[in-house]
Amino acid sequence: PAGQGPVLTHSLQLELRDQTCWAKKRLSFAHRYHKGSRSKNDCRSLCRADATCSHFHLLNNECYFFSGICKRPNDFACQHKEQWVYEHYPGCGERGSCIDIKVPNFHYVSGKYCPRGENVEVAGQGPVYFKQGLTKQETFWLQRYDSSRSDSACDSGDWAILKPDPHKDYQNMTMGYVELHGSIVACLKSSNSDLPSDVFSSTEVHLTVKKLSETSARA
């Protein structure tokens, strides 16, 4: 260690992610605040930095913040009705937030899939998500597809929706380890890269669905 010789080097890849998510919604509000002429990115950054900002939108390059969500749009105090806004979710990330998947015509697989642990069947597979349905027929897992499976149901890079298999699935809730062996119901693929990465860096992601005859799914 203290002698002379070649220097040992190693390359590391770091991925930095903003732990803030934005969801596009149509809501009504009691108050609106003008924040000046700004680009969409500047308006979003201003909202991110303001602890009191929950919603913003851009109209003709003018930035506005909103507050006081109306329970009923016809209330007297509800001055700004049916506004398309971006809702601010601080502290958001793929291992701490749910993914809301919508598959039209297949509502039993649609819903909120929430992080339940890490996929330990194969190293580097990432988080596993779980949707608790009202019945066992509506309860599913979501995980990155393991291309070493013998069924070849999905392609590499897909995310698979699986049925729970209480006899073969393994969960260690203390360690957060999950190993799934249920049958695959659907394969999902986002347009850019990895599904969670796309979901938590965009307001909405359009999905390609396989094994179900649906083409307009989103998350």
Side-chain angles (χ1 to χ4, degrees):
Q4 296 181 350
V7 177
L8 180 63
T9 61
H10 187 75
S11 298
L12 297 177
Q13 291 185 344
L14 298 179
E15 183 177 0
L16 302 179
R17 296 185 182 178
D18 184 1
Q19 289 188 326
T20 301
C21 295
W22 305 92
K24 191 174 183 180
K25 294 186 175 182
R26 194 171 189 176
L27 300 169
S28 299
F29 299 88
H31 307 289
R32 184 178 75 171
Y33 310 95
H34 184 219
K35 296 296 180 177
S37 298
R38 299 177 184 272
S39 68
K40 180 181 176 181
N41 287 340
D42 288 343
C43 189
R44 182 173 55 209
S45 296
L46 190 67
C47 183
R48 180 191 290 112
D50 189 336
T52 65
C53 178
S54 60
H55 301 83
F56 84 91
H57 87 170
L58 203 69
L59 179 64
N60 298 325
N61 292 323
E62 298 295 324
C63 178
Y64 295 93
F65 290 0
F66 292 85
S67 68
I69 299 178
C70 303
K71 292 184 178 180
R72 294 179 297 273
N74 58 350
D75 284 350
F76 174 77
C78 193
Q79 300 296 312
H80 308 281
K81 305 179 189 299
E82 301 296 321
Q83 301 288 316
W84 280 107
V85 296
Y86 291 98
E87 192 168 58
H88 182 196
Y89 291 93
C92 172
E94 63 184 44
R95 286 173 171 81
S97 303
C98 301
I99 298 176
D100 189 10
I101 293 178
K102 298 179 178 66
V103 185
N105 303 319
F106 295 93
H107 300 293
Y108 64 98
V109 298
S110 300
K112 290 187 177 181
Y113 289 76
C114 299
R116 197 64 174 265
E118 293 290 317
N119 183 352
V120 297
E121 189 174 3
V122 178
Q125 289 291 84
V128 174
Y129 299 86
F130 182 72
K131 181 179 82 77
Q132 180 65 63
L134 296 177
T135 66
K136 65 179 182 180
Q137 289 80 11
E138 298 174 326
T139 299
F140 296 98
W141 291 94
L142 173 69
Q143 70 169 21
R144 181 182 283 109
Y145 177 66
D146 176 14
S147 57
S148 67
R149 285 177 61 118
S150 59
D151 53 22
S152 300
C154 304
D155 296 328
S156 177
D158 288 353
W159 279 69
I161 294 178
L162 302 91
K163 292 180 180 179
D165 188 332
H167 301 292
K168 296 181 180 179
D169 291 345
Y170 169 75
Q171 297 182 66
N172 185 327
M173 302 310 296
T174 303
M175 301 296 292
Y177 292 162
V178 180
E179 186 175 318
L180 304 176
H181 299 278
S183 59
I184 292 177
V185 175
C187 308
L188 307 178
K189 190 175 185 66
S190 57
S191 57
N192 295 323
S193 55
D194 191 47
L195 191 150
S197 299
D198 286 346
V199 167
F200 290 108
S201 60
S202 307
T203 56
E204 186 175 75
V205 174
H206 292 277
L207 305 173
T208 301
V209 182
K210 284 176 281 188
K211 292 183 72 67
L212 295 177
S213 55
E214 178 56 53
T215 58
S216 58
R218 62 191 189 277

